[in-house]
Coordinates of all heavy atoms in Angstrom, one line a residue:
F1 N 138.1 168.6 92.4 CA 137.5 168.3 91.1 C 135.9 168.4 91.3 O 135.4 168.5 92.4 CB 137.7 166.8 90.6 CG 137.3 165.7 91.6 CD1 136.2 165.0 91.2 CD2 138.0 165.5 92.8 CE1 135.8 163.9 92.1 CE2 137.5 164.4 93.6 CZ 136.5 163.7 93.3
F2 N 135.2 168.5 90.1 CA 133.8 168.7 90.1 C 133.2 167.2 90.3 O 132.7 166.6 89.3 CB 133.2 169.4 88.9 CG 133.7 170.8 88.8 CD1 133.8 171.4 87.5 CD2 134.0 171.6 89.9 CE1 134.1 172.7 87.4 CE2 134.4 172.9 89.7 CZ 134.4 173.4 88.5
G3 N 133.2 166.7 91.5 CA 132.8 165.3 91.7 C 131.3 165.0 91.9 O 130.5 165.9 92.0
P4 N 131.0 163.7 92.1 CA 129.6 163.4 92.1 C 128.9 163.7 93.4 O 127.7 163.6 93.5 CB 129.7 161.8 91.9 CG 131.0 161.4 92.4 CD 131.9 162.7 92.0
E5 N 129.6 164.0 94.4 CA 129.0 164.3 95.7 C 128.4 165.8 95.8 O 127.7 166.1 96.7 CB 129.9 164.1 96.9 CG 130.4 162.8 97.1 CD 129.2 161.8 97.4 OE1 128.4 162.2 98.3 OE2 129.1 160.7 96.8
L6 N 128.8 166.6 94.8 CA 128.4 168.0 94.8 C 126.9 168.1 94.5 O 126.4 167.4 93.6 CB 129.2 168.8 93.9 CG 130.7 168.8 94.1 CD1 131.4 169.5 93.0 CD2 131.0 169.5 95.4
L7 N 126.2 169.1 95.1 CA 124.9 169.5 94.6 C 124.9 170.0 93.2 O 125.9 170.7 92.8 CB 124.3 170.6 95.6 CG 124.1 170.1 97.0 CD1 123.6 171.2 97.9 CD2 123.1 168.9 97.1
V8 N 123.9 169.8 92.4 CA 123.8 170.2 91.0 C 123.7 171.7 90.9 O 122.8 172.3 91.5 CB 122.7 169.5 90.3 CG1 122.7 170.0 88.8 CG2 122.9 168.0 90.3
V9 N 124.6 172.4 90.2 CA 124.5 173.8 90.1 C 123.6 174.2 89.0 O 123.3 173.3 88.1 CB 125.9 174.4 89.7 CG1 127.0 174.1 90.8 CG2 126.4 173.9 88.3
P10 N 123.0 175.4 89.0 CA 122.1 175.8 87.9 C 122.7 175.8 86.6 O 123.9 176.0 86.4 CB 121.7 177.2 88.4 CG 122.0 177.3 89.9 CD 123.1 176.4 90.1
G11 N 122.0 175.5 85.5 CA 122.5 175.6 84.1 C 123.1 176.9 83.9 O 122.6 177.9 84.2
G12 N 124.2 176.8 83.2 CA 124.9 178.0 82.7 C 125.8 178.7 83.8 O 126.4 179.7 83.5
T13 N 126.0 178.0 84.9 CA 126.8 178.5 86.0 C 128.3 178.5 85.5 O 128.8 177.5 84.9 CB 126.8 177.6 87.2 OG1 125.4 177.7 87.7 CG2 127.7 178.2 88.3
D14 N 129.0 179.7 85.7 CA 130.4 179.8 85.2 C 131.2 178.9 86.2 O 131.0 179.0 87.4 CB 130.8 181.2 85.3 CG 132.1 181.4 84.6 OD1 133.1 181.0 85.2 OD2 132.2 182.1 83.6
P15 N 132.2 178.1 85.6 CA 133.1 177.4 86.5 C 133.7 178.2 87.6 O 134.1 177.7 88.6 CB 134.1 176.8 85.5 CG 133.4 176.7 84.3 CD 132.5 177.9 84.2
A16 N 133.9 179.5 87.3 CA 134.6 180.3 88.3 C 133.8 180.4 89.6 O 134.3 180.7 90.7 CB 134.8 181.7 87.8
Q17 N 132.5 180.1 89.6 CA 131.6 180.2 90.8 C 131.6 178.9 91.5 O 131.2 178.9 92.6 CB 130.2 180.6 90.3 CG 130.0 182.0 89.7 CD 128.6 182.1 89.2 OE1 128.3 182.0 88.0 NE2 127.7 182.4 90.2
R18 N 131.9 177.8 90.8 CA 131.6 176.5 91.3 C 132.5 176.0 92.4 O 133.7 176.2 92.4 CB 131.6 175.4 90.2 CG 130.5 175.6 89.1 CD 130.6 174.6 88.1 NE 130.4 173.2 88.6 CZ 130.5 172.2 87.8 NH1 130.7 172.3 86.6 NH2 130.2 171.0 88.4
P19 N 131.9 175.5 93.5 CA 132.7 174.8 94.5 C 133.2 173.4 94.0 O 132.7 172.9 93.0 CB 131.8 174.6 95.7 CG 130.4 174.3 95.0 CD 130.5 175.3 93.8
A20 N 134.2 172.8 94.6 CA 134.7 171.5 94.1 C 134.7 170.5 95.3 O 134.5 170.9 96.5 CB 136.1 171.8 93.5
Q21 N 135.1 169.3 95.0 CA 135.0 168.1 95.9 C 136.6 167.8 96.1 O 137.4 167.7 95.1 CB 134.3 167.0 95.3 CG 134.3 165.7 96.2 CD 133.4 164.6 95.6 OE1 132.5 164.9 94.9 NE2 133.7 163.4 96.0
P22 N 137.0 167.6 97.3 CA 138.4 167.2 97.6 C 138.7 165.8 97.3 O 137.9 164.9 97.6 CB 138.5 167.5 99.1 CG 137.2 167.3 99.7 CD 136.2 167.7 98.6
A23 N 139.9 165.5 96.8 CA 140.4 164.2 96.5 C 140.9 163.6 97.9 O 141.4 164.3 98.7 CB 141.4 164.1 95.6
I24 N 140.7 162.3 98.1 CA 141.0 161.7 99.4 C 142.2 160.6 99.1 O 142.2 160.0 98.1 CB 139.8 161.0 99.9 CG1 138.7 162.0 100.2 CG2 140.0 160.1 101.1 CD1 137.4 161.4 100.6
I25 N 143.0 160.5 100.1 CA 144.2 159.5 100.1 C 143.8 158.4 101.2 O 143.6 158.8 102.3 CB 145.5 160.2 100.4 CG1 145.9 161.1 99.2 CG2 146.6 159.1 100.7 CD1 147.1 161.9 99.4
E26 N 144.0 157.2 100.7 CA 143.9 156.0 101.7 C 145.3 155.6 101.8 O 146.1 155.6 100.9 CB 143.2 154.9 101.1 CG 141.6 155.1 101.0 CD 140.9 153.9 100.5 OE1 141.6 152.8 100.3 OE2 139.7 153.9 100.3
A27 N 145.7 155.1 103.0 CA 147.0 154.6 103.2 C 147.1 153.7 104.5 O 146.1 153.7 105.2 CB 148.1 155.8 103.4
D28 N 148.2 153.1 104.7 CA 148.5 152.5 106.0 C 149.6 153.3 106.8 O 150.3 154.0 106.2 CB 149.0 151.1 105.7 CG 148.1 150.2 105.1 OD1 146.9 150.2 105.5 OD2 148.4 149.6 104.0
I29 N 149.5 153.1 108.1 CA 150.6 153.8 108.9 C 151.0 152.9 110.0 O 150.3 152.0 110.4 CB 149.9 155.0 109.6 CG1 151.0 155.8 110.4 CG2 148.6 154.8 110.3 CD1 150.4 157.2 110.8
F30 N 152.3 153.0 110.3 CA 153.0 152.2 111.3 C 153.9 153.1 112.1 O 154.7 153.8 111.6 CB 153.8 151.0 110.7 CG 154.3 150.0 111.6 CD1 153.6 149.1 112.2 CD2 155.7 150.2 112.0 CE1 154.1 148.3 113.2 CE2 156.3 149.3 112.9 CZ 155.5 148.3 113.5
L31 N 153.8 153.0 113.5 CA 154.6 153.8 114.4 C 155.3 152.9 115.3 O 154.8 151.9 115.8 CB 153.7 154.7 115.2 CG 152.8 155.8 114.5 CD1 152.0 156.6 115.5 CD2 153.7 156.7 113.6
N32 N 156.6 153.2 115.7 CA 157.3 152.6 116.8 C 157.4 153.7 117.9 O 157.8 154.8 117.5 CB 158.6 152.1 116.4 CG 158.6 150.8 115.7 OD1 157.7 150.0 116.0 ND2 159.5 150.5 114.8
A33 N 157.2 153.3 119.1 CA 157.4 154.3 120.2 C 158.2 153.6 121.3 O 157.9 152.4 121.7 CB 156.0 154.6 120.8
N34 N 159.2 154.3 121.9 CA 160.0 153.9 123.0 C 159.7 154.7 124.2 O 159.8 156.0 124.1 CB 161.5 153.9 122.6 CG 162.3 153.2 123.7 OD1 162.2 153.6 124.8 ND2 163.1 152.3 123.3
F35 N 159.2 154.1 125.3 CA 158.8 154.9 126.5 C 159.8 154.9 127.5 O 159.6 155.3 128.7 CB 157.5 154.4 127.0 CG 156.3 154.6 126.0 CD1 155.9 153.6 125.1 CD2 155.6 155.8 126.0 CE1 154.9 153.8 124.2 CE2 154.6 156.1 125.1 CZ 154.2 155.0 124.2
E36 N 161.1 154.4 127.3 CA 162.2 154.4 128.3 C 162.8 155.8 128.2 O 162.2 156.8 127.8 CB 163.1 153.3 128.0 CG 162.5 151.9 128.1 CD 161.9 151.6 129.4 OE1 162.4 152.1 130.5 OE2 160.9 150.8 129.5
S37 N 164.1 155.9 128.5 CA 164.7 157.1 128.6 C 164.7 157.9 127.3 O 164.7 159.2 127.3 CB 166.3 156.9 129.1 OG 166.9 156.1 128.1
D38 N 164.8 157.2 126.2 CA 164.7 158.0 124.9 C 163.4 158.6 124.6 O 163.4 159.8 124.1 CB 164.9 157.0 123.7 CG 166.4 156.4 123.6 OD1 167.3 157.1 124.2 OD2 166.6 155.4 123.0
A39 N 162.3 158.0 125.0 CA 160.9 158.5 124.9 C 160.6 159.2 123.5 O 160.5 160.4 123.4 CB 160.7 159.5 126.0
L40 N 160.8 158.3 122.5 CA 160.7 158.8 121.1 C 159.6 158.0 120.4 O 159.4 156.9 120.7 CB 162.0 158.6 120.4 CG 163.2 159.5 120.7 CD1 164.4 159.2 119.9 CD2 162.9 161.0 120.5
V41 N 159.0 158.6 119.4 CA 158.1 158.0 118.5 C 158.5 158.3 117.1 O 158.9 159.6 116.8 CB 156.6 158.3 118.7 CG1 156.3 159.8 118.7 CG2 155.6 157.6 117.9
N42 N 158.4 157.4 116.1 CA 158.5 157.7 114.7 C 157.8 156.8 113.9 O 157.3 155.8 114.4 CB 160.1 157.9 114.3 CG 160.8 156.6 114.6 OD1 160.3 155.5 114.9 ND2 162.2 156.7 114.6
G43 N 157.8 156.9 112.6 CA 157.1 155.9 111.8 C 157.0 156.3 110.3 O 157.7 157.1 109.8

């Protein structure tokens, strides 16, 4: 999107020229790991 972190483009700039700002995802993560014979991780 054309977000607030972007430098201001010159007036009259065509949208086709403009760079955009990426949207960000926040989340939680949980992993279980077994280090015995199975030696697996998932989450």
Side-chain angles (χ1 to χ4, degrees):
F1 62 106
F2 295 154
E5 295 298 316
L6 300 173
L7 296 175
V8 178
V9 299
T13 299
D14 192 289
Q17 297 175 259
R18 295 180 63 179
Q21 180 177 333
I24 296 170
I25 291 174
E26 291 182 5
D28 296 312
I29 182 170
F30 185 78
L31 304 178
N32 278 332
N34 189 304
F35 293 95
E36 300 299 332
S37 57
D38 290 340
L40 290 176
V41 59
N42 57 13

